Amino acid sequence: MAFTFTNSYLQGVYEDVCKKNAHEPEFLQAVGEVLESLQPVVEQNQRLAKSGVIDRIVEPERSLLFRISWVDDHGRVQVNRGYRVQFSTAIGPSKGGLRFHPSVNLSIIKFLGFEQVFKNSLTGLPMGGGKGGADFDPKGKSDNEVMRFCQSFMTELQRHIGPDTDVPAGDIGVGAREIGYLFGQYKRIRNEFNGVLTGKGLSYGGSLARTEATGYGLCYFADEMLKAAGKSFQGQSVVISGSGNVAIYANQKATELGGKVIAMSDSNGYIVDENGIDYKVIQEIKEVKRARIKTYLDYVPTAKYFEGCQGIWTVPCGIALPCATQNEVHMEDVENLVKNGCKILAEGANMPTTLEATEYVQEHGIVFFPGKAANAGGVATSGLEMSQNSERLSWTFEEVDAKLKGIMVSIFHAIDDAAKRYGHEGNYVMGANIAGFEKVANAMMAQGIV
Ligand code: NDP
């Protein structure tokens, strides 16, 4: 992967990471991007190299890999592979979601865990970074199968996590249903009712507005940037990839702020509705019926459906919000976005834009916001859920939403300031990496070589 290092310490660390993790492309992509951004910081602060901060920050504190055996509805034994990477506890217990998807492997979990360290730091809350999951596909499984899988997964995971150690949450394939089963099994084994997981149901310690938080936060963040440029969502056409948790609530908030969401997708295809896509219809299709996005035509026959998800980026829009998965936006997609006059690309998903596509948009006048800043609203609200659990209190929707908005606004200004401080105004990739890194690095240096 083509990263340019002028700093020999960083180059050395990156080469070492490449040697040790040669078969982990997503992890190398995430590390390379961060280290490249940190060059001016490392050059101005010799202590970072002396105390080996970068050598340490690229190595997870602990990586767990375990077997999950369970029995399907036909009485057959199934075996999956489970992961939990506790990347950093420098500023708080490690925190990050669990992903259940057949594509899950150590590289993906490590890239997500590494990104999470900086994202969590940006929220201003005391949370370290981690990630986990399994190569289990909840699609097409019965509720009982999902429950048995979750119980088996938690039977191993429970010994490694805790409200002051590591606090998992949901991610792709892990929603309210899975968190419920995971929490139930944790409680059964440990005989403890605590805030060990976030994204819990409202009746057992969940936070209001957690479901909406990532999508809402993404739009609050983009709105703050638009305001700073004297603009708004009003009258802008918006394209959102995906139709899961992040995408649905990004649609709701973008619409409330005056935008018109004209296209959404799933992994099979995408829909275009020039009159604006009602998020409630998508919610019903995806959350209630667990059906394909194509079904949208049953509700709105005037809309159009296209097979294949990639074509969504050919739909002209002012604001693009990729909210599906990593590396879903490629070079030809951003060429189309630029050609069609897109002005903002804010990542709702984690690392959805490939490296070369990121460089291209930055060079062609699209304002680009990396996921580690733009989608931090989810984990920020998970942090608020942890606070409520510790206090044994529940805040109202409005209280949580107001705090979420405040956090997203301050993240925008923190990354904007960091980019300016190092002479790279408008480079929000650099701004996010630097602003997220500074707090973690200071904590690591204060705590000695551990
Ligand atoms: P969900 O599982 O709820 O939804 C994922 C959606 O993306 C589904 O609609 C899925 O469709 C679709 N999808 C998957 N691959 C593609 C593709 N190649 N093209 C188009 N659509 C695709 O996940 P979330 O919404 O929770 O997460 C989405 C992203 O946001 C992930 O990168 C996640 O890490 C990130 N994120 C999530 C947070 C959260 O709070 N949920 C917080 C921060 C980041 P299908 O049903 O066909 O698979």
Side-chain angles (χ1 to χ4, degrees):
M1 249 165 265
F3 295 105
T4 318
F5 290 104
T6 48
N7 180 282
S8 57
Y9 168 52
L10 285 170
Q11 179 161 14
V13 175
Y14 184 64
E15 282 169 3
D16 197 39
V17 173
C18 289
K19 251 185 251 153
K20 283 188 185 153
N21 307 280
H23 303 294
E24 297 177 1
E26 293 86 359
F27 179 55
L28 296 180
Q29 180 179 344
V31 171
E33 184 219 273
V34 170
L35 297 197
E36 197 178 48
S37 298
L38 293 179
Q39 298 192 93
V41 186
V42 169
E43 264 146 36
Q44 283 183 27
N45 188 345
Q46 302 302 318
R47 261 189 83 202
L48 289 169
K50 209 164 158 211
S51 51
V53 166
I54 309 289
D55 308 72
R56 290 187 283 145
I57 211 168
V58 296
E59 190 66 36
E61 287 179 18
R62 193 172 294 109
S63 299
L64 305 159
L65 183 62
F66 51 94
R67 182 179 70 197
I68 309 149
S69 318
W70 58 284
V71 180
D72 70 18
D73 286 349
H74 306 286
R76 284 188 302 246
V77 174
Q78 301 284 344
V79 177
N80 287 97
R81 192 171 274 186
Y83 302 84
R84 186 71 189 166
V85 173
Q86 297 166 343
F87 223 104
S88 168
T89 57
I91 63 168
S94 53
K95 172 104 200 83
L98 297 171
R99 176 176 291 191
F100 291 169
H101 193 272
S103 66
V104 162
N105 57 38
L106 190 58
S107 173
I108 288 180
I109 296 300
K110 279 172 66 181
F111 118 66
L112 289 164
F114 182 70
E115 295 271 296
Q116 200 81 43
V117 174
F118 305 94
K119 182 190 303 193
N120 293 2
S121 163
L122 283 173
T123 66
L125 300 173
M127 300 183 289
K131 200 81 186 185
D135 60 354
F136 169 76
D137 189 358
K139 257 188 235 145
K141 303 286 189 305
S142 70
D143 275 356
N144 275 330
E145 287 178 321
V146 171
M147 181 179 74
R148 287 196 295 275
F149 175 81
C150 288
Q151 290 176 339
S152 184
F153 183 83
M154 185 51 89
T155 302
E156 174 59 31
L157 189 68
Q158 56 85 22
R159 67 185 95 242
H160 307 290
I161 60 175
D164 298 318
T165 317
D166 180 13
V167 184
D171 188 66
I172 293 178
V174 179
R177 173 181 62 170
E178 290 76 15
I179 292 288
Y181 295 147
L182 291 164
F183 186 74
Q185 182 73 351
Y186 176 86
K187 193 163 56 70
R188 173 158 75 170
I189 298 175
R190 299 283 290 259
N191 194 24
E192 287 166 15
F193 193 114
N194 59 34
V196 67
L197 292 167
T198 58
K200 298 185 292 299
L202 292 177
S203 58
Y204 61 96
S207 174
L208 285 161
R210 173 60 188 93
T211 308
E212 296 83 354
T214 309
Y216 278 22
L218 175 67
C219 295
Y220 290 145
F221 182 89
D223 195 43
E224 188 61 18
M225 177 270 150
L226 285 162
K227 273 190 202 142
K231 297 182 188 148
S232 77
F233 264 91
Q234 203 62 44
Q236 305 254 20
S237 50
V238 183
V239 167
I240 301 178
S241 64
S243 47
N245 173 266
V246 181
I248 289 172
Y249 297 99
N251 174 332
Q252 185 191 5
K253 190 51 71 180
T255 308
E256 275 175 27
L257 291 169
K260 195 203 277 183
V261 178
I262 53 170
M264 290 182 79
S265 58
D266 63 18
S267 55
N268 292 121
Y270 67 101
I271 49 161
V272 178
D273 183 350
E274 294 294 345
N275 294 319
I277 299 169
D278 183 350
Y279 83 94
K280 288 204 196 98
V281 176
I282 304 294
Q283 204 177 26
E284 181 168 317
I285 295 171
K286 289 290 170 180
E287 290 179 356
V288 182
K289 297 192 168 161
R290 294 182 188 270
R292 310 309 301 158
I293 201 154
K294 191 178 185 176
T295 324
Y296 186 80
L297 299 192
D298 298 345
Y299 296 81
V300 185
T302 51
K304 293 193 184 94
Y305 174 74
F306 300 88
E307 204 60 45
C309 51
Q310 219 51 41
I312 192 166
W313 305 115
T314 61
V315 179
C317 63
I319 300 176
L321 304 177
C323 295
T325 193
Q326 68 273 356
N327 291 328
E328 54 160 312
V329 183
H330 303 103
M331 196 61 177
E332 63 270 26
D333 303 321
V334 289
E335 282 169 357
N336 281 321
L337 288 171
V338 168
K339 196 172 71 197
N340 291 330
C342 178
K343 292 282 172 274
I344 295 178
L345 192 161
E347 296 185 328
N350 286 313
M351 210 169 73
T353 318
T354 64
L355 272 177
E356 57 166 3
T358 302
E359 278 165 20
Y360 186 86
V361 290
Q362 288 177 311
E363 284 160 9
H364 288 79
I366 295 186
V367 181
F368 178 84
F369 291 111
K372 65 169 76 73
N375 71 29
V379 74
T381 308
S382 280
L384 300 177
E385 182 174 330
M386 289 164 74
S387 303
Q388 293 170 78
N389 292 163
S390 301
E391 286 188 326
R392 304 260 192 265
L393 282 177
S394 295
W395 302 335
T396 63
F397 188 98
E398 289 70 27
E399 281 174 294
V400 179
D401 192 33
K403 285 185 169 55
L404 165 66
K405 192 170 181 183
I407 290 170
M408 296 316 293
V409 167
S410 66
I411 293 177
F412 171 73
H413 292 291
I415 71 169
D416 190 41
D417 289 351
K420 285 180 184 151
R421 255 190 291 133
Y422 285 93
H424 291 271
E425 183 166 357
N427 185 339
Y428 297 113
V429 171
M430 208 164 191
N433 289 335
I434 293 174
F437 170 77
E438 284 177 330
K439 184 173 162 193
V440 179
N442 287 338
M444 288 174 76
M445 289 190 286
Q447 291 169 24
I449 310 298
V450 289

